[in-house]
Amino acid sequence: MKLNKIKSHAKINLSLNVTGKKSYLHKIESIISFIELHDKITIKDTKSSKHQILFKGKFSNKIGKKNTISTLLKILDNKKLLKNRKFNIQVDKRIPHKSGLGGGSINAAKILKYFIKKYKLKLNYKEILKITSKIGSDTTLGMHKTPIIQLSDGEVKKTKFKKKLHLVLVKPNFGCSTKEIYSKVRNFSKTSHKLIKSRNLSHTFLSKLSNDLEIPAFKKNSKLNKIKSFMKDLNNILFARMTGSGSTMIAYFNSKKDAENAHKILKKKYKNYWCILSKT
């Protein structure tokens, strides 16, 4: 049986502003990019009567039997889109859990994209959106492969950077609950007309943005604020910002060399934390 391999890249929020609340969901504006860091997924047909999902790797131990991939497969089976085919899916987890990097949600998105292309699933945009929204907002975003801007009304538009960014990611030895962090948001930001009009994102423009979820996340755990404060003093840093609802903090640089120097300092400072280099 042919083994198909997929890269499931981590997503980062270069900015994230909560602009209101509709029903039980928050409305957000966010600049989203995908980075080199990725999980490795292999998919093959199986003669088993059930789908087989196996997680391995450093960050696989906290994933339960009910996960984003099992949810996706259940939806597709109920809609009879896979025509009774069963699959063996293995995921080498390199993206930490509860890190704000969308690991599990993006896994589901990439597998759905694979099925759509491989088996020519007849799904229009609204039908795809209905499926992905049942799994998570990051799953919907994961259907894209280039940098995007998510607007408050749910519209998504493509954008691009004037120049790639080099990153140092630091995740402390704890995660953040997305539900809990959002529940602590008390004030809403105004819609940014500059964000709506932007097409090419400069480093200067990005450095002036923010992540509204830092306020409740930092109140929940002051270590996150301390990491950001330390990062801001690194040589030639463009800016430091939390991604998503945390707990990963990211230092952004213009050059690879500056990022590598910062990585050495941060690895020494936070010996017990996950700390890696990557780029957009």
Side-chain angles (χ1 to χ4, degrees):
M1 293 182 185
K2 187 178 178 182
L3 195 67
N4 297 282
K5 298 180 179 180
I6 302 170
K7 288 183 179 179
S8 180
H9 292 271
K11 68 88 191 171
I12 56 169
N13 300 85
L14 287 107
S15 70
L16 195 160
N17 298 118
V18 184
T19 59
K21 194 173 183 182
K22 185 178 181 181
S23 184
Y24 63 94
L25 294 174
H26 286 83
K27 296 191 289 184
I28 67 169
E29 283 183 346
S30 184
I31 299 174
I32 295 127
S33 183
F34 299 94
I35 61 175
E36 278 190 338
L37 171 67
H38 62 274
D39 290 336
K40 290 185 175 181
I41 303 174
T42 56
I43 303 176
K44 65 179 180 180
D45 293 276
T46 177
K47 292 181 179 179
S48 173
S49 60
K50 295 181 180 180
H51 296 294
Q52 300 163 340
I53 307 170
L54 174 67
F55 294 95
K56 60 181 183 178
K58 185 176 181 180
F59 300 109
S60 61
N61 60 339
K62 293 184 180 180
I63 303 172
K65 288 185 177 181
K66 185 177 179 181
N67 51 71
T68 56
I69 298 174
S70 66
T71 301
L72 170 66
L73 293 172
K74 185 177 180 180
I75 293 169
L76 297 180
D77 282 342
N78 288 342
K79 291 180 176 291
K80 302 189 185 304
L81 289 167
L82 298 178
K83 298 180 179 178
N84 293 319
R85 295 185 187 93
K86 300 301 176 186
F87 297 92
N88 178 293
I89 300 174
Q90 295 188 29
V91 186
D92 181 2
K93 292 298 295 180
R94 300 176 174 199
I95 302 170
H97 184 56
K98 290 188 176 181
S99 60
L101 297 168
S105 296
I106 307 298
N107 290 166
K110 297 308 176 187
I111 292 170
L112 177 56
K113 286 186 74 173
Y114 165 80
F115 285 145
I116 290 171
K117 184 177 180 180
K118 176 76 174 178
Y119 299 107
K120 296 178 173 58
L121 304 188
K122 294 181 179 179
L123 293 167
N124 59 39
Y125 178 75
K126 285 186 177 180
E127 289 170 328
I128 292 171
L129 195 62
K130 192 174 283 187
I131 292 171
T132 57
S133 63
K134 288 179 180 178
I135 302 169
S137 58
D138 281 346
T139 305
T140 302
L141 300 173
M143 298 302 290
H144 300 268
K145 63 179 181 179
T146 57
I148 54 175
I149 296 176
Q150 181 182 14
L151 302 177
S152 294
D153 60 4
E155 181 188 351
V156 171
K157 69 173 190 173
K158 292 182 180 179
T159 188
K160 57 184 178 181
F161 302 124
K162 288 186 175 179
K163 192 175 180 181
K164 284 188 177 181
L165 291 157
H166 294 269
L167 326 172
V168 185
L169 290 77
V170 175
K171 181 190 175 296
N173 47 16
F174 59 86
C176 289
S177 163
T178 299
K179 185 177 180 180
E180 182 181 4
I181 297 302
Y182 269 100
S183 71
K184 302 295 183 183
V185 175
R186 295 291 177 261
N187 300 306
F188 299 133
S189 294
K190 291 182 180 179
T191 298
S192 170
H193 295 290
K194 285 185 178 180
L195 195 61
I196 294 170
K197 293 177 181 177
S198 59
R199 287 288 180 268
N200 292 309
L201 301 171
S202 69
H203 293 173
T204 302
F205 176 74
L206 291 170
S207 67
K208 294 177 180 178
L209 303 178
S210 63
N211 180 348
D212 289 346
L213 298 182
E214 287 183 355
I215 296 170
F218 291 0
K219 283 184 179 179
K220 174 72 178 174
N221 200 309
S222 61
K223 287 182 181 179
L224 295 175
N225 194 17
K226 289 177 181 178
I227 295 170
K228 181 177 180 179
S229 295
F230 186 82
M231 283 179 165
K232 286 165 71 175
D233 289 331
L234 293 166
N235 287 337
N236 299 321
I237 188 170
L238 294 169
F239 57 95
R241 195 163 294 149
M242 186 177 78
T243 180
S245 56
S247 60
T248 303
M249 304 299 301
I250 304 178
Y252 293 84
F253 296 89
N254 186 38
S255 77
K256 182 180 179 180
K257 185 177 179 180
D258 287 333
E260 288 175 340
N261 289 337
H263 180 238
K264 291 176 185 177
I265 294 168
L266 289 165
K267 266 197 114 174
K268 187 176 180 180
K269 172 74 173 177
Y270 302 109
K271 293 178 182 177
N272 298 320
Y273 291 178
W274 178 76
C275 180
I276 67 157
L277 278 163
S278 194
K279 65 179 181 180
T280 54

